[in-house]
Amino acid sequence: MDIQIGRGKTARRAYGIDEIALVPGQRTLDPSLANPSWSLGDIEREIPIIASAMDGVVDVNMAVHLSQMGAMGVLNLEGIQTRYEDPNTVLQRIVSVGKDEFVPLMQEVYAAEIQPQLIEKRIREIKQQGGIAAVSATPAGAMKFGEQVAEAGADLFFVQATVVSTAHLSPSAECPLDLRDFCDRMPMPVILGNCVTYEVALNLMKAGAAGVLVGIGPGAACTSRGVLGIGVPQATAVADCAAARDAFYQETGKQVAIIADGGLITGGDICKCLACGADAVMIGSPFARAQEAPGQGYHWGMATPSPLLPRGTRIRVGTTGTLQQILCGPAQLDDGTHNLLGAIKTSMGTLGVKNLQEMQQVEVVIAPSLLTEGKVYQKAQQLGMGK
C-alpha cells in the first residue's frame, strides 16, 4: 500500500532487518538435521556465508581458510593486494593513521597502479593452497582485467559497484561493460550487483548472472546512504529480488543465487535475510573482527578511497576471536557475533526447516520491538543484546 508523502509523491513502505522477526511453525527439529548448504554456479558450499571483497576482510590467507571451513571469501582485485607486492606494509599504515588523516592516506595508497601480474599471482596463490578463487572488480575493472582473471583460472567473478544495471548510460567517449557479453565470454560463473529492486535483479539474471548481490549502503563502513541518499532497507530489498529469482526460475528453469550483501552483524540478522529469500549472505565487519583478518581490527568500505567523493569510512571493530570461533564456534561472546553457522542451524531447527528452500518459506512478522522487548537489564548493563 502506497503512502502519500505529499501532493504528487507517494512511497512504498520498506522494512529493514531489525524490524522483522521469524515465526516458529508447527514442528521443530534437531539442529544437526538442518542443512544450510547452497550452490553458486557449479560450486557447492556447506555454509551460506561469503566474506566481502574488502581489503580489511579478505586476503589470500583468509580466502583459503574460509574455503577450507566450507564458506568462501572474495578478493578485491582493485585493492591493496593487487597494487602492492607487499600489501602488509600498506595495511599497517592504514590501521595506524589518525582519523583526520585517514581519507587522504587512502586516496594516496589507492592511487598506485593496479598490476595485472599481481592479479594473476593472487588468484594462483589461493588455488595452489586449495582455496576457492573468488574475485571482485568494478565493471570498469572487469572490462580491463577480465582476460587476466580468466587466464589465471579464477573460480568465480563478482562484478560489483554501488548499483549495477543492464541499462547504463555513458558519455559518448566511453564504452560501458556489456554485462550479457561479459557473462557469455567468461569461463567461470559471474555474479552481478549490487541492486535492490525486482526489475533490475530480473534483468541481471537475463544477462546471465549466476548470482545477484542485493544491498545498497547498509554496510557497517559504508556511507553511501548518507552521501547519496539512496538505498532500500535489506528485508524488503532481499524479498523483492528473491521474487525475481523465483519468476526467472519459473520462466527458464535456471537457478540464480540471491546474495544479501551488507548490514548483517549477528547470526539472527543472517537468519532473517535467509527467511526473506536469500540463498546466502555476504558480510564484512563480522569477519574483520577475526584474528586472521588483514585489517587488524579495522574495517573500511570499498568506496572509501574515492578521489572525488568518498562514500565509506574506517571503523574500529576490534578483534574478538579466531575465524573458527566467529564462523563455526565455539562462541566466546553472547551477542550473536560468534558461531554464525551454529546460529543458522539452531534457528532452522527451532523453525522446523530442513534446508534453505524451507527456510525461505517461514512466516515473517513486522516486529520493531523484537530487539528491545524485555531487554531493560541487558541495555542498562550493556550486556548481550544491550551492547
Side-chain angles (χ1 to χ4, degrees):
M1 180 179 178
D2 287 342
I3 302 168
Q4 186 172 353
I5 293 176
R7 290 181 180 271
K9 180 63 69 174
T10 60
R12 182 166 66 105
R13 178 69 162 91
Y15 296 94
I17 293 300
D18 285 350
E19 299 176 280
I20 65 170
L22 312 183
V23 181
Q26 297 183 36
R27 72 176 186 187
T28 57
L29 58 88
D30 189 282
S32 65
L33 300 177
N35 178 13
S37 63
W38 71 297
S39 61
L40 184 56
D42 56 357
I43 293 177
E44 295 186 0
R45 295 279 80 195
E46 295 84 6
I47 305 175
I49 300 177
I50 305 172
S52 301
M54 296 181 175
D55 285 341
V57 178
V58 176
D59 59 7
V60 170
N61 289 333
M62 279 286 282
V64 172
H65 290 157
L66 285 160
S67 299
Q68 292 171 342
M69 296 170 70
M72 74 173 80
V74 183
L75 189 73
N76 178 13
L77 293 185
E78 296 177 69
I80 302 299
Q81 299 293 325
T82 58
R83 296 176 193 266
Y84 299 92
E85 182 71 39
D86 177 16
N88 294 325
T89 302
V90 179
L91 287 165
Q92 189 59 47
R93 289 182 66 195
I94 291 174
V95 303
S96 300
V97 73
K99 63 180 182 180
D100 293 334
E101 296 82 24
F102 169 66
V103 171
L105 173 64
M106 293 289 279
Q107 293 171 328
E108 173 197 331
V109 299
Y110 281 84
E113 291 292 327
I114 297 170
Q115 303 180 46
Q117 71 272 18
L118 287 181
I119 290 177
E120 297 187 27
K121 180 179 180 180
R122 302 301 182 220
I123 292 172
R124 291 187 173 126
E125 285 174 343
I126 294 172
K127 293 183 70 69
Q128 286 168 1
Q129 297 178 67
I132 295 173
V135 298
S136 172
T138 62
M143 188 160 52
K144 188 174 182 180
F145 302 116
E147 184 176 335
Q148 281 85 10
V149 172
E151 289 179 356
D155 297 303
L156 296 166
F157 200 154
F158 289 69
V159 179
Q160 291 183 261
T162 301
V163 178
V164 168
S165 74
T166 57
H168 179 70
L169 300 180
S170 297
S172 57
E174 297 181 10
C175 180
L177 177 66
D178 184 326
L179 296 176
R180 186 184 302 275
D181 177 68
F182 186 80
C183 291
D184 287 341
R185 287 190 294 107
M186 286 296 103
M188 78 289 289
V190 176
I191 298 85
L192 301 176
N194 285 29
C195 70
V196 289
T197 66
Y198 177 98
E199 293 80 8
V200 173
L202 188 59
N203 287 337
L204 293 177
M205 295 172 198
K206 291 178 179 178
V212 173
L213 292 157
V214 179
I216 295 177
C222 184
T223 62
S224 287
R225 290 181 174 180
V227 175
L228 305 180
I230 65 172
V232 174
Q234 278 292 66
T236 295
V238 170
D240 285 349
C241 294
R245 172 204 58 209
D246 296 342
F248 184 72
Y249 179 78
Q250 289 296 323
E251 180 181 342
T252 67
K254 298 179 181 178
Q255 189 69 52
V256 177
I258 292 295
I259 303 166
D261 176 20
L264 312 176
I265 305 298
T266 67
D269 295 339
I270 294 171
C271 294
K272 287 191 276 187
C273 257
L274 297 174
C276 284
D279 298 288
V281 301
M282 176 175 275
I283 58 177
S285 57
F287 286 136
R289 304 172 84 189
Q291 291 177 8
E292 300 90 336
Q296 303 172 50
Y298 284 93
H299 178 50
W300 55 93
M302 294 177 71
T304 304
S306 169
L308 299 177
L309 191 65
R311 300 192 311 282
T313 187
R314 181 193 62 178
I315 59 174
R316 177 162 180 76
V317 294
T319 299
T320 65
T322 65
L323 181 61
Q324 172 72 33
Q325 290 169 329
I326 291 170
L327 187 60
C328 299
Q332 289 192 329
L333 297 178
D334 58 4
D335 59 1
T337 60
H338 276 193
N339 195 1
L340 299 177
L341 175 60
I344 294 171
K345 298 185 75 170
T346 301
S347 180
M348 292 175 67
T350 304
L351 294 163
V353 298
K354 296 180 180 179
N355 52 47
L356 290 185
Q357 290 71 34
E358 292 184 3
M359 183 72 164
Q360 292 164 354
Q361 303 302 316
V362 303
E363 182 182 356
V364 176
V365 295
I366 307 305
S369 65
L370 179 74
L371 301 181
T372 57
E373 185 176 48
K375 302 299 183 288
V376 174
Y377 291 113
Q378 290 187 35
K379 184 176 181 180
Q381 299 173 37
Q382 295 187 327
L383 301 171
M385 293 170 61
K387 290 180 181 179

